Amino acid sequence: MRLIIAVWAAKLAALAGKIMGKKSSSTPGEIALKICPDLIQRLKHNITGKVFVTCGTNGKTTTNNLICTALEKSGHKVICNRVGANMLSGVANVFALECNIFGKFKADYGCFEIDEAFAVKVFDKITPDVMIITNLFRDQLDRYGEIETTASLINSAIDKCKTLTLVLNGDDPICASFGKNRDNVHYFGISEQVMEQTEGAKEGRFCAVCKNELSYNYHHYSQLGDYYCTFCGNKRPEIDFEAKDVDLTGGLKFTVNNSEKISLNYKGFYNIYNILAVYAALKSADVLKSSFSGLLSDYKPQIGRMEEFYFGKPVILNLAKNPAGFNQAIMTVCEDKRKKDIIFAVNDFPSDGQDISWLWDVDFEKAVSNNSGLLITSGKRKYDLTLRFKYSDINVYMYTDNMREAIKKCIESDSEVVYVLVNYTVLFPTQNILLDMKKEIKGDGKNE
Ligand SMILES: [Zn+2]
């Protein structure tokens, strides 16, 4: 009875939220948990097949949603926290709202993105069959604390599940360390040098065993690559699902284990990791029956992820929430061989994280090449950004609070493409500016 009341209460709360025009991705779940604290345990048997859980600093929403899309496209009924509410209440929310009025639902699979810090709590309620960890990067320090704290939380969560299959990014020394001395581990990675090798900032590239600085045979971005430790012998593990023949011209193309060809109309080198994670998870769970590329062909990324506007030339807006996010975005800029202008904008409001010492961990200098056009800095931390470039002997064309003027300058320049790379609180105002500019030139702009 308590369960049914909880389900009804959640449904009413969701309905009320809808009427008020609010997106309720966790409030109904919170209410349901208050009424019935063991709601998740009591409903989990409604999922008849495997439960997939995705953790990691970057790419977990994309990876989780892609797993769900692939399973749905294969004809399965999937329960998934697609909107990214990734704490206990977010999971309870999906369970409660999925129920019929009798407190029951039917699903073949469960796919959940879980915040690293909440994995222990969630695994107390529901034991996953497959856990995917995309990567572990330094996030905003003041909100998440040190990376070691996060790693130990993940380790405790893994220890709760005796029969768990782990799918880990083998190119990430921190992520790969979760597989040490454990069974049922599958690693994925990109097994060839893709980008030109340059010396970047070294922060964060340390051995997970002895904490000494790592060496690399080749390096992708942040701490990802073919690493080895000359001090203790720790090295990149043998990779079970490895990408090779990477081709970034016009979408993403690569082969997995020299056999399966994957070709998708996605942007961004880092998406290879997300796609590999999905492939490895589905293969490890033995649920992949048809052509993999076909399953993901019409997936739509979230807004502000390499979102393209057009003003006689493409203006591409991308959100980066942390140093690794900026490094990923910078890799994508490097892949683009057209002449390009780049605007970097960073704020330091509480939701951005107020400690911006990470600016020194980002390989900003990689974004600037011989064929670069204008380089502009903006946001509350424009001076720090400008100083960061100065230390790499790179001149900033201008720094400004006026994003509209910055974008206009780039549109008027002789570049072929403009990249606008921003952090969280800069994203929506910048998006509004671009939408307004589109309205102003009416008919001339097309947004895809
Ligand atoms: Zn070592």
Side-chain angles (χ1 to χ4, degrees):
M1 196 60 205
R2 209 153 38 91
L3 175 72
I4 295 189
I5 295 169
V7 166
W8 275 81
K11 283 184 184 286
L12 280 173
L15 186 68
K18 215 177 205 172
I19 291 166
M20 291 189 292
K22 274 200 283 185
K23 245 215 234 147
S24 28
S25 54
S26 62
T27 316
E30 271 169 42
I31 295 168
L33 279 178
K34 278 214 177 93
I35 300 169
C36 181
D38 58 352
L39 175 113
I40 296 173
Q41 297 97 306
R42 289 172 64 172
L43 288 175
K44 64 185 177 190
H45 69 272
N46 290 298
I47 305 170
T48 51
K50 293 192 162 142
V51 171
F52 297 82
V53 157
T54 305
C55 287
T57 314
N58 289 353
K60 61 175 169 264
T61 304
T62 303
T63 302
N64 184 51
N65 290 354
L66 283 174
I67 294 174
C68 176
T69 300
L71 288 168
E72 283 178 343
K73 275 268 195 151
S74 309
H76 300 294
K77 173 86 177 71
V78 187
I79 179 168
C80 173
N81 57 345
R82 260 186 193 275
V83 283
N86 57 19
M87 299 172 196
L88 196 59
S89 52
V91 178
N93 199 61
V94 183
F95 272 57
L97 298 184
E98 191 68 27
C99 279
N100 60 21
I101 51 169
F102 307 109
K104 284 191 179 118
F105 66 83
K106 247 188 169 165
D108 301 315
Y109 294 100
C111 292
F112 303 103
E113 149 188 2
I114 305 291
D115 185 285
E116 296 71 66
F118 285 85
V120 178
K121 279 190 182 167
V122 174
F123 291 10
D124 275 337
K125 314 270 182 199
I126 184 167
T127 311
D129 299 284
V130 183
M131 180 183 191
I132 301 104
I133 308 179
T134 54
N135 47 57
L136 207 60
F137 296 125
R138 256 180 85 187
D139 211 319
Q140 303 140 14
L141 285 181
D142 40 355
R143 271 176 64 198
Y144 289 90
E146 289 299 327
I147 204 158
E148 281 81 12
T149 317
T150 312
S152 75
L153 284 169
I154 293 177
N155 270 316
S156 321
I158 296 172
D159 286 337
K160 283 186 180 286
C161 314
K162 296 294 169 228
T163 57
L164 187 66
T165 297
L166 281 174
V167 175
L168 304 175
N169 186 342
D171 288 351
D172 177 355
I174 305 165
C175 189
S177 72
F178 297 122
K180 282 209 161 38
N181 306 317
R182 286 196 169 107
D183 301 324
N184 302 325
V185 183
H186 302 273
Y187 295 99
F188 60 90
I190 300 168
S191 296
E192 65 185 13
Q193 183 188 318
V194 181
M195 309 308 282
E196 231 172 273
Q197 302 291 296
T198 47
E199 274 306 295
K202 282 278 184 220
E203 184 74 27
R205 290 161 203 176
F206 295 101
C207 177
V209 178
C210 72
K211 312 286 173 228
N212 281 299
E213 198 179 315
L214 287 167
S215 305
Y216 282 83
N217 290 317
Y218 51 83
H219 171 246
H220 299 310
Y221 63 88
S222 294
Q223 76 265 24
L224 308 184
D226 183 3
Y227 60 87
Y228 59 93
C229 175
T230 52
F231 299 88
C232 75
N234 177 33
K235 59 174 191 200
R236 179 184 188 241
E238 209 173 292
I239 302 296
D240 304 289
F241 298 96
E242 59 178 11
K244 280 186 180 167
D245 310 318
V246 172
D247 179 357
L248 303 167
T249 48
L252 297 176
K253 290 185 207 79
F254 57 96
T255 53
V256 185
N257 296 349
N258 297 316
S259 57
E260 174 110 22
K261 279 195 166 53
I262 294 179
S263 170
L264 286 164
N265 191 24
Y266 292 9
K267 263 201 190 73
F269 175 77
Y270 57 91
N271 269 321
I272 294 180
Y273 280 116
N274 296 330
I275 296 161
L276 263 179
V278 176
Y279 182 85
L282 296 177
K283 273 278 184 192
S284 309
D286 196 25
V287 291
L288 195 57
K289 304 287 182 229
S290 52
S291 145
F292 180 70
S293 291
L295 296 176
L296 302 183
S297 53
D298 47 7
Y299 174 79
K300 290 260 177 303
Q302 305 139 268
I303 57 154
R305 306 300 205 281
M306 291 292 161
E307 191 178 3
E308 205 164 313
F309 296 82
Y310 196 81
F311 299 95
K313 61 174 99 166
V315 175
I316 299 170
L317 175 65
N318 191 62
L319 164 72
K321 289 185 283 191
N322 47 38
F326 270 103
N327 282 335
Q328 288 172 358
I330 287 165
M331 286 279 294
T332 310
V333 173
C334 295
E335 289 156 24
D336 193 331
K337 299 300 174 207
R338 292 174 286 186
K339 180 162 188 184
K340 59 221 163 195
D341 299 327
I342 310 171
I343 303 171
F344 284 107
V346 170
N347 275 348
D348 62 356
F349 289 110
S351 49
D352 297 304
Q354 287 174 299
D355 176 351
I356 51 106
S357 60
W358 57 263
L359 283 183
W360 299 91
D361 302 344
V362 175
D363 304 332
F364 282 109
E365 58 282 350
K366 275 192 183 174
V368 181
S369 66
N370 300 333
N371 109 36
S372 288
L374 308 180
L375 174 66
I376 297 176
T377 57
S378 185
K380 278 177 71 197
R381 290 301 189 141
K382 56 189 178 296
Y383 299 117
D384 302 79
L385 275 166
T386 306
L387 184 69
R388 171 69 185 79
F389 281 109
K390 201 175 167 57
Y391 272 84
S392 303
D393 285 325
I394 295 166
N395 280 325
V396 167
Y397 170 74
M398 71 175 199
Y399 44 84
T400 176
D401 281 323
N402 190 335
M403 180 60 91
R404 175 183 283 262
E405 191 195 329
I407 294 170
K408 277 205 166 132
K409 277 260 187 287
C410 296
I411 293 172
E412 288 159 9
S413 82
D414 64 349
S415 72
E416 296 163 84
V417 58
V418 183
Y419 281 91
V420 187
L421 309 183
V422 303
N423 73 344
Y424 188 66
T425 61
V426 190
L427 178 70
F428 295 104
T430 306
Q431 199 178 38
N432 285 336
I433 289 168
L434 285 162
L435 290 170
D436 275 355
M437 288 172 71
K438 247 180 64 185
K439 268 186 219 148
E440 281 164 27
I441 56 162
K442 251 194 270 175
D444 206 15
K446 71 170 202 289
N447 184 15
E448 6 219 343

